[in-house]
Amino acid sequence: MQSVCLKSDFWDYYDHWFDRGKGIVFERFSNQGMNRKEMLDYLSSLGFKTPPYGTPSEVLAQIDPQLIELEEIAREKDDYFLEVVVYLDERAHRGEGKIVVPLYKALEEYPKHLCSGFIPPLPGATTSLRYLQVGDRNFWLRYISRNDWRSNYGDVDISVLSKSIGYHCKIDLPLFAIDFIANTQELFAVDFNTAPGIRHTGIEDILPAKEAANAIKKAV
């Protein structure tokens, strides 16, 4: 196997098995790759279902008119139910750089920001599913937060649901993750991360560090 050297701005459990000195360089940086708008466009192009996204006015245009009428009635009573996730930093991952606000507030205060429709969590738990590709190894993980609207914040449980061997049929990258909101019966793809952190997820218990590094090196 040809030498592969790692360049990264964070440490993961398999890093020490990469080669030192000369070789192919594998870059893994937290904020590399696509911004949020490009991610959502890319995920949509692959056929994944995404929440409505765009500027607040563009999201409004994608909402069922009957829901908008109900929202207007609620607003007359100083209430609301349509909310959006506003991305304050389009390159942030791990639940950072975003806030949830009412759609009417986003229209007033964040008219130029990218946002996406907010899918409310089920009572008592915010749930997401993550598809993780590590070289030719792939996994499905479940994240559940009991006290935050983001599934990877607060009181969080992470479970590894499945594992298998094989490359993704559409995405030709040595390391990536796709996050799906799983608060309803439908899965909505919301994040595409080419530098996902793996340690402390349970993966390190079933994929030894040397195997993880070698799988990525082989794919590179």
Side-chain angles (χ1 to χ4, degrees):
M1 185 183 301
Q2 189 169 350
S3 295
V4 178
C5 304
L6 174 68
K7 285 189 177 181
S8 181
D9 59 355
F10 67 92
W11 180 84
D12 216 325
Y13 80 102
Y14 56 84
D15 290 3
H16 59 286
W17 284 105
F18 276 87
D19 303 305
R20 298 179 181 274
K22 296 182 179 180
I24 299 172
V25 175
F26 171 55
E27 294 186 346
R28 189 197 62 197
F29 293 101
S30 300
N31 294 324
Q32 70 183 17
M34 307 173 189
N35 63 32
R36 183 71 58 166
K37 173 66 164 55
E38 292 167 337
M39 287 179 206
L40 293 169
D41 287 343
Y42 178 62
L43 292 168
S44 295
S45 74
L46 294 176
F48 294 112
K49 188 176 183 63
T50 61
Y53 66 91
T55 63
S57 60
E58 289 171 340
V59 170
L60 179 64
Q62 300 173 63
I63 295 176
D64 187 325
Q66 291 184 336
L67 289 179
I68 296 175
E69 291 181 9
L70 293 174
E71 173 79 357
E72 291 174 351
I73 294 172
R75 288 292 314 284
E76 292 175 357
K77 301 177 181 180
D78 295 324
D79 198 4
Y80 61 88
F81 62 88
L82 292 178
E83 296 178 293
V84 292
V85 179
V86 175
Y87 299 100
L88 304 177
D89 181 352
E90 287 192 42
R91 292 194 174 276
H93 292 281
R94 301 178 179 88
E96 299 175 350
K98 57 187 179 181
I99 57 174
V100 171
V101 299
L103 177 56
Y104 79 86
K105 184 175 180 180
L107 288 162
E108 296 171 356
E109 299 184 16
Y110 303 97
K112 303 296 184 182
H113 280 69
L114 178 71
C115 66
S116 62
F118 177 61
I119 303 168
L122 298 173
T126 300
T127 305
S128 71
L129 296 178
R130 164 167 282 198
Y131 175 87
L132 174 66
Q133 187 81 41
V134 185
D136 64 346
R137 313 300 176 90
N138 57 78
F139 307 85
W140 279 98
L141 299 89
R142 181 177 60 208
Y143 289 69
I144 297 177
S145 175
R146 294 184 175 85
N147 59 355
D148 197 280
W149 65 272
R150 297 160 295 184
S151 61
N152 58 348
Y153 260 68
D155 182 11
V156 178
D157 285 334
I158 304 174
S159 304
V160 180
L161 302 180
S162 68
K163 60 178 180 178
S164 61
I165 298 177
Y167 292 105
H168 195 276
C169 61
K170 294 182 178 180
I171 303 173
D172 183 21
L173 292 171
L175 176 67
F176 69 88
I178 304 174
D179 292 333
F180 299 85
I181 298 298
N183 293 335
T184 67
Q185 292 182 342
E186 292 185 289
L187 294 182
F188 292 85
V190 293
D191 189 84
F192 178 69
N193 188 348
T194 57
I198 301 178
R199 64 188 179 122
H200 305 318
T201 64
I203 295 295
E204 59 266 52
D205 296 328
I206 56 179
L207 181 63
K210 185 176 182 179
E211 290 184 26
N214 284 342
I216 293 173
K217 288 159 66 175
K218 179 182 176 182
V220 169

